Amino acid sequence: MSSPASTHRLILKMLKEKQGAYVSGALLAGRLGLTRTGIWKNIRTLRSMGYDIQSHPKEGYRLVSLPDLLLPDEILPELKTAWLGRSYHYFPQIGSTNDHALALAAAGAPHGSAVCAEEQTSGRGRLRREWISSPRLGIYLSILLRTPLPVQEAFQATYILALSLVKVLRGKYGLPGAIKWPNDILIGPRKVGGILTEMQSDQDFTRFLVIGIGINVNHTKEDLAGPFRYPATSLAIERGDPVARRELLITFLERLESDYDTFYSRGFSTFLADLEQFSGILGKYITIVSGKEEKRGKALRFTPEGALILGRDDGTEEAVWVGDVTRVEGTF
Ligand code: BT5
């Protein structure tokens, strides 16, 4: 007999194998060594998780549809990664996935661990700003990276995540995603995602990075009424159709693993052309706030390390490593 925690998984597996056809209660009960009441209780558990299961007094049970949830049972069997997300921590609700990933990091969790939630009650952006994380509408994900990086280059990992998402938005969903330096993902002038990178380091190298990403997926315009610093959007608003979050998450993790492997083995400069191609600010006049300082100029190019070269009106140039782009000429 199977343990109670895994019984509903086995039932789900059997229902999935039948691809929408009925499986009799007697067959399920016989295979799993349970009474028919035991089977029914597990069906109730699956239903409470969002699985649409029809029952028929004579025919038994059939799986009508899967929930668009980011449950381990829905993600892990499909996910073709070697290290990213293999250790997958799922929460229907959590304060912040980054906080949980930081705690996991301190407890020795492996490289590539992922924390994913359907809802965050204290999702955060940079400088403790709030990240609105409405239930079941977005992707709220944090990943733990243990590959040591020179501290001053750790921000490059943020770009790799941003680029991976932009490539998925373009390649899979036909949406013109772009990066607003350094950590926003835009579609046109609107923000569809944001990234928050936190780290612990020794003097020269990172000990670990926790990179959190929030993506607006199935939000309506009303869900994103704000007020926000920049106008917001979602994949569904831009496409006019809802998007299966499960598929988006899997595609993103697979893309990211491959991009991160390339980044780590061949260096950031491999991605420079992508960064320039998908940058939402190059060639534009921008305002950057960095601490108390405000810098204005034209975003000219990136250095091979990923710093932004800002051209001032007097002809001088400056490399900027951190900051917040508060204005892009002609947009917000
Ligand atoms: C960011 O910060 O854009 C980084 C957001 C990172 C969120 C992820 S979700 C998973 C992980 N766990 C966490 O707790 N956080 C990470 P920043 O550039 O500081 O932008 C924050 C600002 O964006 C806010 O002050 C709002 O104005 C705006 N904002 C908040 N929620 C938004 C949303 N859902 N869509 C668009 N803009 C939003």
Side-chain angles (χ1 to χ4, degrees):
M1 201 175 123
S2 43
S3 72
S6 62
T7 308
H8 69 266
R9 291 214 170 102
L10 294 171
I11 295 177
L12 184 61
K13 190 161 172 276
M14 288 173 76
L15 293 178
K16 278 185 177 173
E17 279 163 8
K18 281 286 185 166
Q19 300 182 340
Y22 277 104
V23 186
S24 79
L27 181 75
L28 291 170
R31 285 262 184 93
L32 300 173
L34 287 177
T35 62
R36 291 181 71 164
T37 316
I39 295 295
W40 181 80
K41 280 188 185 152
N42 280 283
I43 295 284
R44 205 172 49 183
T45 305
L46 287 168
R47 281 186 179 145
S48 72
M49 289 163 81
Y51 291 93
D52 184 0
I53 298 171
Q54 219 170 43
S55 57
H56 185 278
K58 290 212 180 89
E59 306 271 358
Y61 301 99
R62 77 181 191 97
L63 183 60
V64 179
S65 66
L66 303 175
D68 185 33
L69 296 180
L70 308 172
L71 294 159
D73 284 337
E74 297 305 323
I75 301 298
L76 291 173
E78 305 284 321
L79 186 65
K80 293 181 207 68
T81 54
W83 55 267
L84 184 56
R86 297 322 321 174
S87 170
Y88 182 82
H89 303 257
Y90 168 82
F91 298 88
Q93 189 193 64
I94 200 170
S96 154
T97 54
N98 259 41
D99 286 345
H100 192 76
L102 288 167
L104 285 176
H111 176 62
S113 297
V115 181
C116 188
E118 303 289 354
E119 176 185 9
Q120 293 186 118
T121 51
S122 17
R124 43 194 175 79
R126 293 180 304 156
L127 309 170
R128 298 262 152 198
R129 293 175 196 138
E130 185 187 10
W131 184 258
I132 301 292
S133 314
S134 319
R136 298 183 175 196
L137 293 180
I139 288 181
Y140 317 113
L141 168 76
S142 299
I143 61 168
L144 169 62
L145 297 170
R146 287 199 180 273
T147 39
L149 297 172
V151 171
Q152 68 278 14
E153 290 173 14
F155 70 95
Q156 294 170 348
T158 308
Y159 288 159
I160 300 301
L161 247 85
L163 281 172
S164 297
L165 179 60
V166 164
K167 287 182 201 164
V168 171
L169 291 178
R170 288 174 175 257
K172 188 172 170 69
Y173 299 100
L175 295 170
I179 300 175
K180 180 162 82 62
W181 183 89
N183 73 320
D184 291 344
I185 317 297
L186 306 184
I187 297 177
R190 298 196 167 76
K191 180 161 168 172
V192 72
I195 300 177
L196 173 67
T197 302
E198 297 178 291
M199 67 171 146
Q200 207 180 77
S201 55
D202 296 326
Q203 219 165 13
D204 296 326
F205 282 90
T206 59
R207 235 181 260 151
F208 63 76
L209 291 177
V210 164
I211 309 192
I213 183 162
I215 312 171
N216 299 329
V217 185
N218 286 325
H219 302 65
T220 62
K221 283 190 179 151
E222 292 70 42
D223 295 321
L224 293 172
F228 295 136
R229 291 161 60 84
Y230 317 112
T233 192
S234 71
L235 271 77
I237 294 171
E238 299 297 326
R239 278 169 55 96
D241 260 330
V243 163
R245 290 180 308 145
R246 207 162 10 107
E247 251 178 69
L248 170 59
L249 177 62
I250 291 168
T251 312
F252 173 65
L253 288 172
E254 288 173 356
R255 172 87 247 174
L256 177 59
E257 179 175 281
S258 148
D259 286 345
Y260 196 82
D261 282 343
T262 306
F263 160 64
Y264 199 67
S265 60
R266 304 198 7 224
F268 181 73
S269 56
T270 328
F271 290 89
L272 201 58
D274 285 348
L275 188 61
E276 303 211 329
Q277 184 186 351
F278 301 133
S279 163
I281 57 170
L282 281 194
K284 295 183 178 152
Y285 278 92
I286 61 172
T287 304
I288 300 177
V289 174
S290 180
K292 288 201 175 112
E293 237 187 307
E294 194 176 273
K295 304 171 199 282
R296 282 204 189 87
K298 191 170 178 183
L300 296 179
R301 62 185 178 279
F302 292 98
T303 66
E305 296 78 30
L308 176 68
I309 302 291
L310 201 63
R312 297 200 204 82
D313 284 343
D314 64 7
T316 56
E317 295 183 356
E318 182 183 354
V320 193
W321 297 86
V322 288
D324 215 348
V325 175
T326 53
R327 244 189 89 74
V328 179
E329 182 196 42
T331 53
F332 35 85

